[in-house]
Amino acid sequence: MTEDHEPEHGEDETVIENYVAECPIDAELTDQLIGLADLPWNDPDATSRAMRALGWTADAAPTDETRFVTAAGHAIYGDYCLYMPFVHYYTVGGELWPDDFWGSQPGWSSQRDAGRQDFEACVDAAIDRFAERLGLPEWDVRTEGRNISIGGYSWRYAAWRRAGNILVVGPTLDGYSYSQDEEAVVYIGQFAEDRPFPDAADFRSLMRPA
């Protein structure tokens, strides 16, 4: 974040600040997602019927690619998987992102001047929520790295096997921002029961809307 100061003559007055926006995962949504994780994710008709039965619709969709929106306000992406962001870490200011888009979405709230520790706390809380129902993650790993747009990062991934599928909670780059920002998601998709869990650095490739 750049410091707020009196601009000199001809200097850009724009202040760019970090934000974390969250739409928490409550106990009811946790149970719904666990139920969806047992469905055949090679059958979009079956998964669509199940999500409609939960009362999820495409009303008030934040992006054109949104498949459904949960009752709490989470956008659901993917036809052959479930990709659900629940926290975004981003900057506001300048011409590219002048407004707090995610914080203004129904069901979401944002924290101005937030840092990576706030983002990671949201990830840990979501993992704890699933662990309360499923037990400790079967795979709990962390990858360290550096990206040209976000700088250094340390991302945690937790995964559980579910009836030929995988349920993952973890961070990735936010595609809506052209990978300039970060988000953490719940991902559900097909995953053979005898397939080894990915290494930490490979989860980002696994967790894609498909």
Side-chain angles (χ1 to χ4, degrees):
M1 182 185 73
T2 56
E3 295 182 357
D4 193 1
H5 62 280
E6 286 296 324
E8 299 177 359
H9 180 69
E11 184 182 0
D12 187 356
E13 299 181 29
T14 300
V15 175
I16 298 177
E17 297 178 293
N18 293 326
Y19 280 68
V20 169
E22 182 186 18
C23 189
I25 301 172
D26 62 16
E28 180 181 13
L29 181 57
T30 301
D31 287 340
Q32 291 174 343
L33 291 166
I34 291 171
L36 291 171
D38 294 333
L39 296 179
W41 280 92
N42 62 342
D43 186 348
D45 290 336
T47 55
S48 289
R49 286 193 300 270
M51 287 186 278
R52 289 194 190 97
L54 296 174
W56 300 2
T57 72
D59 297 340
T63 69
D64 293 339
E65 296 78 15
T66 301
R67 184 178 177 192
F68 286 98
V69 177
T70 71
H74 305 86
I76 303 294
Y77 302 94
D79 292 323
Y80 293 92
C81 72
L82 180 147
Y83 183 99
M84 188 194 82
F86 62 90
V87 58
H88 293 274
Y89 183 30
Y90 53 103
T91 57
V92 174
E95 295 182 2
L96 186 59
W97 299 109
D99 302 310
D100 180 12
F101 174 79
W102 292 117
S104 68
Q105 297 304 303
W108 290 75
S109 61
S110 62
Q111 180 182 346
R112 179 182 176 183
D113 197 20
R116 180 164 297 282
Q117 69 276 10
D118 302 293
F119 177 71
E120 292 179 349
C122 295
V123 177
D124 291 342
I127 291 172
D128 289 345
R129 177 69 78 181
F130 281 98
E132 290 171 2
R133 288 281 285 104
L134 298 174
L136 293 176
E138 298 175 49
W139 196 242
D140 192 343
V141 290
R142 185 177 289 273
T143 182
E144 314 284 335
R146 174 166 286 276
N147 179 278
I148 191 171
S149 61
I150 66 172
Y153 62 86
S154 177
W155 286 349
R156 180 188 180 191
Y157 298 95
W160 294 260
R161 295 182 190 273
R162 298 294 298 178
N165 297 320
I166 192 171
L167 188 157
V168 185
V169 180
T172 186
L173 295 174
D174 176 9
Y176 187 73
S177 70
Y178 303 102
S179 298
Q180 295 298 305
D181 301 323
E182 298 168 69
E183 63 187 8
V185 310
V186 175
Y187 172 89
I188 298 169
Q190 290 183 286
F191 196 81
E193 295 183 6
D194 60 350
R195 180 179 172 184
F197 285 111
D199 292 333
D202 294 328
F203 268 102
R204 182 181 157 197
S205 298
L206 173 73
M207 297 162 47
R208 295 180 182 221

